[in-house]
Amino acid sequence: MEGVHHVPDEGAAILASNHLSYADWLFMPLSLPRRVTFVAKAEYFTGTGVKGTLQRWFFTGAGQVPIDRSSGSAAAGAISTGLKILANGDLFGIYPEGTRSPDGRLYKGKTGVARMVLEAKVPLIPVAVIGTDEVAPPGKIFGRMAHPHVRFGQPMDFSRYEGMEDDRFILRSITDEIMYELMLLSGQEYVDVYASSLKDRVTQRAKGIGEGAAALASTAAHKLVPGSEGRAAGEHAEMSTVPSEDVETATS
């Protein structure tokens, strides 16, 4: 690990990190003598039975707290919860990307982190985790042996923007500045789109490919069954609503 001295020994601060793996929240706090608090879905703390009790015990012990949903919005709830943690003089960890990187690249940050730093008036420390996606790859339970690295950057001061937390252009500027610093610290390639939107597009495309393949298989099956030509023709007409590029992909 590098740059631990950039994290204050006491007092509130935001630790803004890139997000490669579900194990990030474990490796980054282990590098520090102070507790780092993250927010997690409220469902992790409200389960019943043995599983619910163990889950609540695990996430609480790991320094995570439930999102305050009183605002009706998960994003607003996360900001509200984070501000309460910072008001207590604690360290608050946040992933500006909003979700794990699907391919190891660094994606566009969401502006909630900028709003928090302006409202809380605390320093922001950029943090790069490196190699955690090898230990715990996305979509897999186990990875391979590796030595994750955590790199803390110099505190970033945005006091020059004080009072501008409602200006969306200022919020975007601050967020982009944070993401640029994370890019330098992590060495990742930067992509100027939201990781969540990319995941949505991949999911929709996979769904389209699946539907196209199913339609083709159904048509082929009916052609092999005597007397099914009429049904096959009708289903072929229905299949034509599937985007052509998905059909071509499904048959390639």
Side-chain angles (χ1 to χ4, degrees), residues 211-226 228-229 231-237 239 251:
E211 291 173 349
L216 287 171
S218 176
T219 300
H222 281 296
K223 287 182 178 179
L224 296 176
V225 179
S228 65
E229 290 79 2
R231 294 196 303 274
E235 289 170 2
H236 181 74
M239 186 193 71
T251 58

Side-chain angles (χ1 to χ4, degrees), residues 126-180:
V127 185
V129 289
I130 302 166
T132 54
D133 53 337
E134 298 179 19
V135 177
K140 297 181 180 180
I141 298 177
F142 301 106
R144 64 184 183 84
M145 292 297 294
H147 297 284
H149 192 77
V150 183
R151 184 176 292 149
F152 297 89
Q154 295 184 9
M156 303 179 73
D157 178 19
F158 297 102
S159 59
R160 63 190 182 279
Y161 297 119
E162 185 174 338
M164 300 182 185
E165 57 269 16
D166 292 324
D167 187 322
R168 63 189 181 93
F169 295 106
I170 293 296
L171 295 181
R172 171 47 55 194
S173 177
I174 291 173
T175 305
D176 288 346
E177 189 174 336
I178 293 169
M179 301 312 295
Y180 181 76

Side-chain angles (χ1 to χ4, degrees), residues 18-181:
N18 62 330
H19 200 8
L20 293 174
S21 163
Y22 64 81
D24 292 340
W25 61 268
L26 177 62
F27 286 104
M28 190 256 276
L30 283 176
S31 305
L32 299 170
R34 296 183 61 187
R35 174 184 173 124
V36 181
T37 302
F38 293 84
V39 293
K41 293 189 296 185
E43 291 81 357
Y44 291 149
F45 301 86
T46 57
T48 59
V50 176
K51 179 180 178 181
T53 300
L54 290 174
Q55 198 172 59
R56 185 165 52 253
W57 172 82
F58 175 78
F59 282 100
T60 301
Q64 301 202 28
V65 297
I67 294 175
D68 178 3
R69 297 271 186 166
S70 59
S71 63
S73 164
I79 292 175
S80 174
T81 304
L83 290 174
K84 292 176 183 177
I85 293 166
L86 294 168
N88 290 330
D90 297 324
L91 298 177
F92 179 69
I94 188 172
Y95 301 112
E97 291 169 276
T99 187
R100 294 191 301 271
S101 170
D103 54 15
R105 295 185 294 177
L106 184 69
Y107 283 81
K108 186 176 182 178
K110 299 189 175 182
T111 58
V113 63
R115 183 176 296 277
M116 285 184 61
V117 74
L118 291 184
E119 291 192 17
K121 299 179 178 64
V122 298
L124 182 141
I125 294 118
V127 185
V129 289
I130 302 166
T132 54
D133 53 337
E134 298 179 19
V135 177
K140 297 181 180 180
I141 298 177
F142 301 106
R144 64 184 183 84
M145 292 297 294
H147 297 284
H149 192 77
V150 183
R151 184 176 292 149
F152 297 89
Q154 295 184 9
M156 303 179 73
D157 178 19
F158 297 102
S159 59
R160 63 190 182 279
Y161 297 119
E162 185 174 338
M164 300 182 185
E165 57 269 16
D166 292 324
D167 187 322
R168 63 189 181 93
F169 295 106
I170 293 296
L171 295 181
R172 171 47 55 194
S173 177
I174 291 173
T175 305
D176 288 346
E177 189 174 336
I178 293 169
M179 301 312 295
Y180 181 76
E181 191 63 26

